[in-house]
Amino acid sequence: MQQQIITYIETELLAGQENLNLTADEDLLTTGLIDSLGTMKLIAFLEETYDITVPAEDMTIEYFMTVNDMAEYIAARRTANVIS
Amino acid sequence: MSYTLPQLITRAAATHPDKPAFRCLGKQVTYRELERQMHQIAGVLKGVGVKKGDRVGIFMARSLETAAAIYGIMAAGAIYVPLNPGQPVSRTYFLLKDCGIEVLLTNDGQKRNLPAVITAESGVKTVLGTTTDLPCQTMSWTEIYAQDDNPPAVNILESDPAYLLCTSGSTGVPKGILHTHRSGLAYAELSVADYNLCENDVLGNHAPIYFDISTLGYFAGPMARATTIIASEAHVKMPASLAQLLEKEQITVWYSVPLALMQMQQSGKLSALDLKKLRWVIFAGEVYPMKHLRRLVNELPQAKFSNAYGPTETNVCTIYNFSELPENMTSLPVGKVRGNTEILLLQDGKPAESGELLVRSPTLMQGYRNRPDLNEKAFYKRPTAAGGTEIFYRTGDLMRRDADGNLLFLGRKDRQVKVRGFRVELDEITETLLRHPQVTAAAVYTRTTADENTEIAATVTTSDPENLTEADLILYLKKELPPYAVPANIRFVKEMPRTATGKIDLKALQNRMQTA
């Protein structure tokens, strides 16, 4: 999952930038690597690809700072869906 | 004795040395520490050859180093030029050249962006605040903060330039708005007075430093000896975290574009949080959609609200303060003229009930840098009876006064629009599209989205309809324009609708897009 998200970020959000080699534990938000619009697109991609809904109150740094954070969040959302 | 912006820090350090001046991502700097850092940076800048009046770039995401960089550059007698790290490399390049920037302050958050920007051709000779390997002289923050902190010997007058904000220009070339210590201080003084800012205040700073909204936190905060919370890039992108920051820091005065507040409203957290200390919510940059504003006022009954208006050239020159909104109000006034400020409403050169707003105030810019042509058009000079001249800035904004003496915004004289608070010249986007080899005609306009925000849209004709796609053009524009100026969508047509005089019929395109 991590690699799939990284590929999306590199090819869709940061297209045109060379030799990115993003890592799953890299801070994507604080440095301004992805802009506000990119963040929205990324969340839409995660929702569609992993069949989850990200409610507005979950738009937090803890869940979206790194690709690893996102993967953890997605797993938790899916489990929550199964239980409910 | 002259009074300059860096003196805000030395004065606060003398009276409130241990008070936190700025806080960002859990780290903070006191006034005493900031004074020391400011002098260290100024000393380093002097050491690498920066002289009074030189332009020094700041290329970093919001952080504590941003505050140190701003004040360090000004303390060296130089002019700080904020550069948006999120803008295309070509634009940063243009600004580096156009402003003659040879020294840049940055931090390691930009290690991915720096090598593309700092090339042998960029003209940059020194990059401070980085450990990245670059083809020029560099120095890390650890090294900077190990230097002497003697105040630099430089004679700065309050009428000297202090900062340069670069904004969209209609001919496709950005223009630099030059502000002085005096104009920055005059703005801070008015803000301290209008919002009764004091040392107990905690100011929420949401705007990036290339946006003039940032100067409330950076200048008025230290003037009041308050603490300014710099919202990090991460908070700005995550509205639920931003709302939590308001509670965690017990922010008393919030200032941002309406969009940031609307996003926090949508995150559903605002009314559930403990925000009882929040006493002022100030917004500026664009119109707050009435239905969202009414909700906000209901959600924050403890706060007063202020709609602040003023182009970057003048700083905020009118404000409309309210605690509740009259039932029958359909559009929010930009309010009454601030102290120490005079306005004129002119139509065809004569005073009128409604017309273009002209502003005279010590908060006014010195002028557009190196653009005598623009300055000639922007300033209106009124001779006085005593034989002097009073200088007004022509805002290009059309206004009228209502029965209560409040000013109401009617529209623009030209094709400048606001998107997410940022000023965008639609003609700059048109010019950029027309430079694309396969674009034969282009029209750029705005439309209102379902949630009442403004977005940019474009329609083009092409010589290569088989191959050129919307995605190609968006990618092309992303390399040329700041992110907020890239249209949300671009449509292809075989032929542009034209008016009787042969001009592209923008109204027709706009209506078509609005209903699409």
PDB file of all heavy atoms in Angstrom, chain B residues 296-315:
ATOM      1  N   LEU B 296     -20.611  30.934  11.403  1.00  0.00           N
ATOM      2  CA  LEU B 296     -19.414  31.181  12.215  1.00  0.00           C
ATOM      3  C   LEU B 296     -19.749  32.058  13.420  1.00  0.00           C
ATOM      4  O   LEU B 296     -19.323  31.791  14.547  1.00  0.00           O
ATOM      5  CB  LEU B 296     -18.328  31.849  11.364  1.00  0.00           C
ATOM      6  CG  LEU B 296     -17.002  32.107  12.071  1.00  0.00           C
ATOM      7  CD1 LEU B 296     -16.235  30.808  12.258  1.00  0.00           C
ATOM      8  CD2 LEU B 296     -16.136  33.096  11.289  1.00  0.00           C
ATOM      9  N   VAL B 297     -20.522  33.114  13.163  1.00  0.00           N
ATOM     10  CA  VAL B 297     -20.898  34.041  14.238  1.00  0.00           C
ATOM     11  C   VAL B 297     -21.689  33.290  15.316  1.00  0.00           C
ATOM     12  O   VAL B 297     -21.494  33.513  16.510  1.00  0.00           O
ATOM     13  CB  VAL B 297     -21.687  35.239  13.654  1.00  0.00           C
ATOM     14  CG1 VAL B 297     -22.253  36.118  14.764  1.00  0.00           C
ATOM     15  CG2 VAL B 297     -20.797  36.067  12.736  1.00  0.00           C
ATOM     16  N   ASN B 298     -22.550  32.372  14.905  1.00  0.00           N
ATOM     17  CA  ASN B 298     -23.320  31.567  15.876  1.00  0.00           C
ATOM     18  C   ASN B 298     -22.426  30.602  16.638  1.00  0.00           C
ATOM     19  O   ASN B 298     -22.654  30.341  17.817  1.00  0.00           O
ATOM     20  CB  ASN B 298     -24.411  30.763  15.152  1.00  0.00           C
ATOM     21  CG  ASN B 298     -25.535  31.668  14.715  1.00  0.00           C
ATOM     22  OD1 ASN B 298     -25.743  32.727  15.296  1.00  0.00           O
ATOM     23  ND2 ASN B 298     -26.241  31.274  13.663  1.00  0.00           N
ATOM     24  N   GLU B 299     -21.418  30.071  15.959  1.00  0.00           N
ATOM     25  CA  GLU B 299     -20.542  29.087  16.594  1.00  0.00           C
ATOM     26  C   GLU B 299     -19.593  29.719  17.611  1.00  0.00           C
ATOM     27  O   GLU B 299     -19.110  29.029  18.511  1.00  0.00           O
ATOM     28  CB  GLU B 299     -19.709  28.358  15.531  1.00  0.00           C
ATOM     29  CG  GLU B 299     -20.472  27.250  14.839  1.00  0.00           C
ATOM     30  CD  GLU B 299     -19.607  26.517  13.822  1.00  0.00           C
ATOM     31  OE1 GLU B 299     -18.943  27.192  13.002  1.00  0.00           O
ATOM     32  OE2 GLU B 299     -19.597  25.293  13.849  1.00  0.00           O
ATOM     33  N   LEU B 300     -19.280  31.003  17.413  1.00  0.00           N
ATOM     34  CA  LEU B 300     -18.319  31.673  18.294  1.00  0.00           C
ATOM     35  C   LEU B 300     -18.961  32.905  18.939  1.00  0.00           C
ATOM     36  O   LEU B 300     -18.595  34.044  18.643  1.00  0.00           O
ATOM     37  CB  LEU B 300     -17.073  32.083  17.495  1.00  0.00           C
ATOM     38  CG  LEU B 300     -16.289  30.952  16.814  1.00  0.00           C
ATOM     39  CD1 LEU B 300     -15.228  31.528  15.876  1.00  0.00           C
ATOM     40  CD2 LEU B 300     -15.635  30.038  17.848  1.00  0.00           C
ATOM     41  N   PRO B 301     -19.921  32.694  19.845  1.00  0.00           N
ATOM     42  CA  PRO B 301     -20.653  33.839  20.402  1.00  0.00           C
ATOM     43  C   PRO B 301     -19.777  34.760  21.255  1.00  0.00           C
ATOM     44  O   PRO B 301     -20.108  35.918  21.453  1.00  0.00           O
ATOM     45  CB  PRO B 301     -21.752  33.176  21.252  1.00  0.00           C
ATOM     46  CG  PRO B 301     -21.248  31.798  21.537  1.00  0.00           C
ATOM     47  CD  PRO B 301     -20.373  31.416  20.387  1.00  0.00           C
ATOM     48  N   GLN B 302     -18.640  34.240  21.745  1.00  0.00           N
ATOM     49  CA  GLN B 302     -17.770  35.032  22.621  1.00  0.00           C
ATOM     50  C   GLN B 302     -16.904  36.022  21.850  1.00  0.00           C
ATOM     51  O   GLN B 302     -16.344  36.950  22.421  1.00  0.00           O
ATOM     52  CB  GLN B 302     -16.863  34.097  23.445  1.00  0.00           C
ATOM     53  CG  GLN B 302     -15.734  33.420  22.675  1.00  0.00           C
ATOM     54  CD  GLN B 302     -16.185  32.213  21.829  1.00  0.00           C
ATOM     55  OE1 GLN B 302     -17.345  32.099  21.451  1.00  0.00           O
ATOM     56  NE2 GLN B 302     -15.256  31.339  21.502  1.00  0.00           N
ATOM     57  N   ALA B 303     -16.776  35.826  20.536  1.00  0.00           N
ATOM     58  CA  ALA B 303     -15.806  36.608  19.761  1.00  0.00           C
ATOM     59  C   ALA B 303     -16.442  37.800  19.057  1.00  0.00           C
ATOM     60  O   ALA B 303     -17.637  37.820  18.772  1.00  0.00           O
ATOM     61  CB  ALA B 303     -15.148  35.698  18.733  1.00  0.00           C
ATOM     62  N   LYS B 304     -15.577  38.787  18.810  1.00  0.00           N
ATOM     63  CA  LYS B 304     -15.955  39.874  17.907  1.00  0.00           C
ATOM     64  C   LYS B 304     -15.298  39.587  16.568  1.00  0.00           C
ATOM     65  O   LYS B 304     -14.279  38.906  16.501  1.00  0.00           O
ATOM     66  CB  LYS B 304     -15.477  41.218  18.460  1.00  0.00           C
ATOM     67  CG  LYS B 304     -16.384  41.777  19.533  1.00  0.00           C
ATOM     68  CD  LYS B 304     -15.951  43.173  19.955  1.00  0.00           C
ATOM     69  CE  LYS B 304     -14.758  43.086  20.867  1.00  0.00           C
ATOM     70  NZ  LYS B 304     -14.356  44.345  21.461  1.00  0.00           N
ATOM     71  N   PHE B 305     -15.882  40.120  15.514  1.00  0.00           N
ATOM     72  CA  PHE B 305     -15.392  39.818  14.173  1.00  0.00           C
ATOM     73  C   PHE B 305     -14.979  41.102  13.476  1.00  0.00           C
ATOM     74  O   PHE B 305     -15.547  42.161  13.727  1.00  0.00           O
ATOM     75  CB  PHE B 305     -16.484  39.104  13.363  1.00  0.00           C
ATOM     76  CG  PHE B 305     -16.889  37.798  13.989  1.00  0.00           C
ATOM     77  CD1 PHE B 305     -17.826  37.763  15.012  1.00  0.00           C
ATOM     78  CD2 PHE B 305     -16.295  36.617  13.587  1.00  0.00           C
ATOM     79  CE1 PHE B 305     -18.182  36.571  15.623  1.00  0.00           C
ATOM     80  CE2 PHE B 305     -16.634  35.411  14.185  1.00  0.00           C
ATOM     81  CZ  PHE B 305     -17.582  35.390  15.203  1.00  0.00           C
ATOM     82  N   SER B 306     -14.001  40.968  12.594  1.00  0.00           N
ATOM     83  CA  SER B 306     -13.531  42.148  11.873  1.00  0.00           C
ATOM     84  C   SER B 306     -13.226  41.784  10.423  1.00  0.00           C
ATOM     85  O   SER B 306     -12.410  40.904  10.158  1.00  0.00           O
ATOM     86  CB  SER B 306     -12.273  42.690  12.561  1.00  0.00           C
ATOM     87  OG  SER B 306     -11.853  43.877  11.932  1.00  0.00           O
ATOM     88  N   ASN B 307     -13.950  42.437   9.516  1.00  0.00           N
ATOM     89  CA  ASN B 307     -13.679  42.265   8.091  1.00  0.00           C
ATOM     90  C   ASN B 307     -12.674  43.347   7.709  1.00  0.00           C
ATOM     91  O   ASN B 307     -12.984  44.531   7.751  1.00  0.00           O
ATOM     92  CB  ASN B 307     -14.981  42.425   7.293  1.00  0.00           C
ATOM     93  CG  ASN B 307     -14.786  42.189   5.805  1.00  0.00           C
ATOM     94  OD1 ASN B 307     -13.854  41.505   5.384  1.00  0.00           O
ATOM     95  ND2 ASN B 307     -15.670  42.759   5.001  1.00  0.00           N
ATOM     96  N   ALA B 308     -11.435  42.941   7.417  1.00  0.00           N
ATOM     97  CA  ALA B 308     -10.368  43.915   7.145  1.00  0.00           C
ATOM     98  C   ALA B 308     -10.164  44.028   5.640  1.00  0.00           C
ATOM     99  O   ALA B 308     -10.110  43.029   4.936  1.00  0.00           O
ATOM    100  CB  ALA B 308      -9.084  43.460   7.821  1.00  0.00           C
ATOM    101  N   TYR B 309     -10.069  45.263   5.167  1.00  0.00           N
ATOM    102  CA  TYR B 309      -9.881  45.472   3.736  1.00  0.00           C
ATOM    103  C   TYR B 309      -8.649  46.338   3.472  1.00  0.00           C
ATOM    104  O   TYR B 309      -8.411  47.320   4.186  1.00  0.00           O
ATOM    105  CB  TYR B 309     -11.124  46.156   3.112  1.00  0.00           C
ATOM    106  CG  TYR B 309     -10.778  46.829   1.806  1.00  0.00           C
ATOM    107  CD1 TYR B 309     -10.733  46.098   0.626  1.00  0.00           C
ATOM    108  CD2 TYR B 309     -10.407  48.179   1.778  1.00  0.00           C
ATOM    109  CE1 TYR B 309     -10.337  46.695  -0.556  1.00  0.00           C
ATOM    110  CE2 TYR B 309     -10.012  48.781   0.599  1.00  0.00           C
ATOM    111  CZ  TYR B 309      -9.968  48.039  -0.568  1.00  0.00           C
ATOM    112  OH  TYR B 309      -9.559  48.624  -1.729  1.00  0.00           O
ATOM    113  N   GLY B 310      -7.912  45.989   2.456  1.00  0.00           N
ATOM    114  CA  GLY B 310      -6.825  46.856   2.000  1.00  0.00           C
ATOM    115  C   GLY B 310      -5.910  46.079   1.084  1.00  0.00           C
ATOM    116  O   GLY B 310      -5.528  44.949   1.406  1.00  0.00           O
ATOM    117  N   PRO B 311      -5.545  46.650  -0.061  1.00  0.00           N
ATOM    118  CA  PRO B 311      -4.586  45.978  -0.934  1.00  0.00           C
ATOM    119  C   PRO B 311      -3.204  45.924  -0.267  1.00  0.00           C
ATOM    120  O   PRO B 311      -2.937  46.704   0.652  1.00  0.00           O
ATOM    121  CB  PRO B 311      -4.526  46.870  -2.178  1.00  0.00           C
ATOM    122  CG  PRO B 311      -5.506  47.961  -1.987  1.00  0.00           C
ATOM    123  CD  PRO B 311      -5.966  47.959  -0.575  1.00  0.00           C
ATOM    124  N   THR B 312      -2.343  45.035  -0.732  1.00  0.00           N
ATOM    125  CA  THR B 312      -0.987  44.931  -0.188  1.00  0.00           C
ATOM    126  C   THR B 312      -0.284  46.289  -0.242  1.00  0.00           C
ATOM    127  O   THR B 312       0.517  46.625   0.618  1.00  0.00           O
ATOM    128  CB  THR B 312      -0.185  43.887  -0.994  1.00  0.00           C
ATOM    129  OG1 THR B 312      -0.931  42.679  -1.000  1.00  0.00           O
ATOM    130  CG2 THR B 312       1.179  43.624  -0.393  1.00  0.00           C
ATOM    131  N   GLU B 313      -0.605  47.084  -1.254  1.00  0.00           N
ATOM    132  CA  GLU B 313       0.046  48.383  -1.445  1.00  0.00           C
ATOM    133  C   GLU B 313      -0.232  49.362  -0.306  1.00  0.00           C
ATOM    134  O   GLU B 313       0.561  50.267  -0.049  1.00  0.00           O
ATOM    135  CB  GLU B 313      -0.429  49.028  -2.762  1.00  0.00           C
ATOM    136  CG  GLU B 313       0.137  48.400  -4.017  1.00  0.00           C
ATOM    137  CD  GLU B 313      -0.657  47.187  -4.509  1.00  0.00           C
ATOM    138  OE1 GLU B 313      -1.452  46.628  -3.714  1.00  0.00           O
ATOM    139  OE2 GLU B 313      -0.477  46.802  -5.674  1.00  0.00           O
ATOM    140  N   THR B 314      -1.406  49.220   0.351  1.00  0.00           N
ATOM    141  CA  THR B 314      -1.789  50.204   1.379  1.00  0.00           C
ATOM    142  C   THR B 314      -1.792  49.616   2.781  1.00  0.00           C
ATOM    143  O   THR B 314      -1.915  50.360   3.753  1.00  0.00           O
ATOM    144  CB  THR B 314      -3.221  50.730   1.141  1.00  0.00           C
ATOM    145  OG1 THR B 314      -4.139  49.651   1.300  1.00  0.00           O
ATOM    146  CG2 THR B 314      -3.372  51.323  -0.244  1.00  0.00           C
ATOM    147  N   ASN B 315      -1.692  48.282   2.926  1.00  0.00           N
ATOM    148  CA  ASN B 315      -2.030  47.589   4.172  1.00  0.00           C
ATOM    149  C   ASN B 315      -3.521  47.788   4.440  1.00  0.00           C
ATOM    150  O   ASN B 315      -4.196  48.489   3.688  1.00  0.00           O
ATOM    151  CB  ASN B 315      -1.193  48.100   5.353  1.00  0.00           C
ATOM    152  CG  ASN B 315       0.184  47.461   5.379  1.00  0.00           C
ATOM    153  OD1 ASN B 315       0.299  46.248   5.453  1.00  0.00           O
ATOM    154  ND2 ASN B 315       1.223  48.278   5.303  1.00  0.00           N
TER     155      ASN B 315
END
